Amino acid sequence: MRQSARIDPTRTALLLVDLQEEQRPGQPYGVAGFETVLANARKLLAAARERSLPVFHAAYRRDFDIVPPRPFEPLSTGGRSTFSDKSDPLTAICHEVAPQPGELVIHKNDASAFADGSLTRALDEARTEWLFIAGVWTEACVAASIRDAMAQGRRVILVKDACGSGTVAMHQVATLNIANRLYGGMIAETAGALALMTGEPVETWTPERPVPIFFHLSDAADHYERL
């Protein structure tokens, strides 16, 4: 349901997930509408920095020296990861949202940005209650990070137009699935998220009960627009 919400900006932080060069159009893991995702993430990043909110960057970089290959993990003929290998320059964070000194960068070997514990410690130190999350891919690393944030008692604000996946349909369906179980959190667009960062009341979407949205392939886009 949509309702007016307001948060305490002093208890908020921003997490950007996997906004890396390998996600650009034309790359093997290009994200649909990635330029829009990047532009909106950049707005969130600028606002968070302006307000001195904690900012965290996560980047998938598969490093077998830290976490050896898992059972059934796809490998290249040279025995390296088939995607996001640590030696691949395309794992670099996009220059539009590049980290600044003092901003924690998590080079992760798993889907969730919380996997190695460093993000949890930093959020605890910052006394973070509300966590804005943006990035890619919505159904994979974004969703995994949201689940772990919620498990720790964080209240998540998913910025839906600052997220993306391999296709628009994949992103929309993933967002609806997240929305159905986003307990304690909310979904906003970039404009609303920017207002929330200032403490203004904003109309956002929040789940009033478990699985409030039953959707079909034929009407998923309509449900997504109503979030």
Side-chain angles (χ1 to χ4, degrees):
M1 61 182 293
R2 295 190 66 85
Q3 60 183 2
S4 181
R6 176 182 284 171
I7 66 173
D8 179 357
T10 66
R11 301 289 301 279
T12 66
L14 172 65
L15 170 64
L16 300 180
V17 179
D18 297 2
L19 296 174
Q20 298 165 252
E21 291 293 335
E22 61 188 346
Q23 314 295 349
R24 291 192 189 274
Q27 298 301 333
Y29 302 100
V31 167
F34 190 59
E35 294 308 314
T36 298
V37 170
L38 269 182
N40 287 332
R42 189 175 185 179
K43 293 176 184 176
L44 297 170
L45 183 57
R49 287 169 173 166
E50 181 181 348
R51 292 163 178 79
S52 299
L53 303 181
V55 172
F56 305 98
H57 305 260
Y60 197 95
R61 190 173 70 176
R62 197 65 181 92
D63 186 343
F64 291 162
D65 292 331
I66 297 175
V67 178
R70 300 179 177 93
F72 314 119
E73 181 170 356
L75 302 177
S76 69
T77 54
R80 298 187 301 182
S81 176
T82 55
F83 64 97
S84 300
D85 183 80
K86 67 177 182 179
S87 64
D88 189 341
L90 292 177
T91 60
I93 294 174
C94 296
H95 66 86
E96 294 93 334
V97 291
Q100 290 185 352
E103 296 173 353
L104 177 64
V105 180
I106 303 126
H107 289 118
K108 58 194 181 70
N109 277 273
D110 211 331
S112 173
F114 289 86
D116 73 355
S118 60
L119 179 58
T120 297
R121 292 189 292 273
L123 291 172
D124 285 345
E125 289 174 5
R127 299 179 62 248
T128 301
E129 177 185 9
W130 290 94
L131 184 61
F132 291 92
I133 294 184
V136 299
W137 288 26
T138 314
E139 77 280 11
C141 295
V142 172
S145 299
I146 289 173
R147 284 193 296 270
D148 283 350
M150 291 172 56
Q152 295 180 4
R154 320 277 180 198
R155 297 164 70 91
V156 171
I157 302 170
L158 175 63
V159 188
K160 70 173 189 175
D161 59 347
C163 294
S165 189
T167 68
V168 171
M170 292 169 71
H171 165 65
Q172 290 178 342
V173 168
T175 303
L176 291 169
N177 283 326
I178 291 169
N180 270 333
R181 294 168 178 83
L182 192 61
Y183 310 132
M186 62 182 74
I187 293 178
E189 294 187 335
T190 299
L194 295 175
L196 287 168
M197 286 183 182
T198 68
E200 297 177 37
V202 176
E203 186 179 87
T204 63
W205 189 93
T206 59
E208 76 276 16
R209 59 180 173 81
V211 196
I213 307 169
F214 279 77
F215 61 91
H216 305 274
L217 292 179
S218 59
D219 63 4
D222 292 336
H223 282 289
Y224 175 84
E225 292 301 324
R226 289 195 286 269
L227 289 175

